[in-house]
């Protein structure tokens, strides 16, 4: 079995081997492994144009859709550290986490008066193929900083390495006997660890993920 160094590398491998297979579904549509890989490369180039360096932090507000996850893969491809922010976080939380993580870019679709560069984009404009040059980063590089929920005190940022994410994905995939033809519905917030780990496990297996913002529209999801 091939050893991978990052989630972006796994995405690339599936795009090469089974590019037309369905990977992600949200309210806006259905997206293949090729679609997500091409969008990832295009967004990675947009980030690179902002003169970011490997190891720089990019904070991304959770929108519970495919755009949010493409932001993660683009960060992972370029070696930037992904800092997920919970959906609808207060401006105080936004400012605190930006300061603590020293994020260079904030990806959000809301309006804020901040000194940091704000980026917003449309996924439909990113799906075309491009010639972006890339190399996958080390498994020992930090992939993300996940903030705890803060139920017993002030929330804290936890650094997660690429190899940690791959090991956790393998644990879930093998422990639950995931199959390549699985379709998993994940209604949990993608700013939290459990939903991200489930996504990574499905990516590892090359299966399909359905994204929704909670469980209110169960009938629609099942259809």
């Amino acid at each position: 079995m091939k050893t991978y160094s990052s989630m972006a590398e796994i995405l690339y491998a599936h795009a090469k081997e089974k590019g037309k297979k369905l990977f992600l579904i949200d309210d806006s549509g259905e997206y293949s492994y090729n679609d997500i890989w091409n969008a990832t490369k295009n967004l990675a180039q947009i980030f690179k144009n902002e003169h970011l360096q490997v190891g720089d932090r990019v904070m991304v507000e959770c929108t519970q859709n495919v755009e949010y996850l493409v932001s993660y893969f683009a960060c992972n491809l370029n070696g930037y550290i992904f800092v997920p922010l919970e959906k609808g976080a207060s401006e105080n939380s936004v400012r605190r986490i930006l300061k603590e993580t020293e994020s260079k870019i904030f990806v959000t679709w809301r309006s804020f008066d901040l000194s940091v560069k704000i980026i917003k984009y449309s996924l439909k404009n990113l799906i075309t193929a491009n010639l972006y040059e890339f190399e996958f980063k080390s498994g020992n590089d930090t992939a993300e900083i996940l903030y705890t929920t803060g139920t017993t005190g002030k929330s804290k940022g936890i650094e997660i390495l690429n190899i940690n994410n791959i090991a956790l994905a393998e644990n879930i995939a093998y422990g639950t006997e995931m199959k390549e033809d699985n379709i998993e519905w994940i209604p949990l917030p993608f700013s939290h660890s459990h939903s991200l780990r489930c996504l990574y496990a499905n990516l590892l297996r090359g299966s399909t993920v359905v994204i929704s913002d909670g469980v209110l529209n169960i009938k629609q999801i099942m259809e």
Side-chain angles (χ1 to χ4, degrees):
M1 181 178 175
K2 178 175 172 53
T3 301
Y4 297 101
S5 64
S6 68
M7 288 296 154
E9 186 178 6
I10 298 173
L11 174 62
Y12 170 69
H14 288 318
K16 281 183 62 180
E17 294 166 9
K18 48 185 153 195
K20 293 182 179 179
K21 182 176 179 182
L22 193 59
F23 176 28
L24 296 175
I25 303 169
D26 68 4
D27 286 343
S28 68
E30 302 178 350
Y31 304 92
S32 69
Y33 277 90
N34 262 342
D35 291 335
I36 300 305
W37 173 244
N38 288 331
T40 293
K41 289 190 296 177
N42 280 302
L43 184 58
Q45 182 63 65
I46 290 171
F47 286 161
K48 202 169 187 178
N49 291 344
E50 297 298 328
H51 308 294
L52 296 183
Q53 304 298 317
V54 171
D56 281 347
R57 284 73 182 264
V58 176
M59 192 166 85
V60 184
E61 183 173 17
C62 182
T63 46
Q64 207 63 17
N65 58 13
V66 171
E67 276 95 343
Y68 172 76
L69 298 179
V70 167
S71 298
Y72 165 77
F73 289 122
C75 288
N76 199 237
L77 178 60
N78 281 356
Y80 310 145
I81 299 174
F82 178 70
V83 181
L85 178 75
E86 66 178 336
K87 182 179 178 181
S90 69
E91 187 164 337
N92 285 340
S93 293
V94 169
R95 292 181 182 279
R96 178 175 69 84
I97 295 174
L98 278 172
K99 182 178 180 181
E100 288 179 356
T101 61
E102 299 181 336
S103 292
K104 298 295 179 64
I105 283 177
F106 181 23
V107 180
T108 180
W109 284 261
R110 290 194 288 163
S111 296
F112 290 96
D113 182 16
L114 302 168
S115 58
V116 70
K117 172 77 174 185
I118 291 179
I119 286 181
K120 55 186 72 177
Y121 63 91
S122 169
L123 184 69
K124 293 179 180 179
N125 297 331
L126 296 179
I127 291 179
T128 55
N130 67 10
L131 299 176
Y132 178 64
E133 294 183 4
F134 60 88
E135 61 178 45
F136 299 112
K137 302 306 182 280
S138 165
N140 290 315
D141 288 343
T142 300
E144 59 204 39
I145 299 176
L146 289 182
Y147 269 75
T148 60
T149 56
T151 51
T152 58
K154 182 181 176 182
S155 61
K156 302 174 182 64
I158 310 298
E159 291 194 28
I160 312 290
L161 306 182
N162 280 319
I163 53 173
N164 297 145
N165 279 335
I166 291 173
L168 288 164
E170 289 174 343
N171 186 45
I172 294 172
Y174 292 120
T176 61
E177 299 182 356
M178 274 184 162
K179 303 294 190 294
E180 188 178 333
D181 60 354
N182 278 11
I183 301 175
E184 181 171 354
W185 171 33
I186 305 178
L188 302 172
F190 277 100
S191 52
H192 293 173
S193 61
H194 180 68
S195 49
L196 286 171
R197 305 300 168 246
C198 289
L199 170 75
Y200 300 159
N202 279 280
L203 173 60
L204 184 71
R205 275 289 185 250
S207 50
T208 302
V209 171
V210 180
I211 304 165
S212 73
D213 190 4
V215 296
L216 293 178
N217 297 316
I218 293 178
K219 185 174 184 294
Q220 177 188 356
I221 293 294
M222 298 308 291
E223 287 172 352

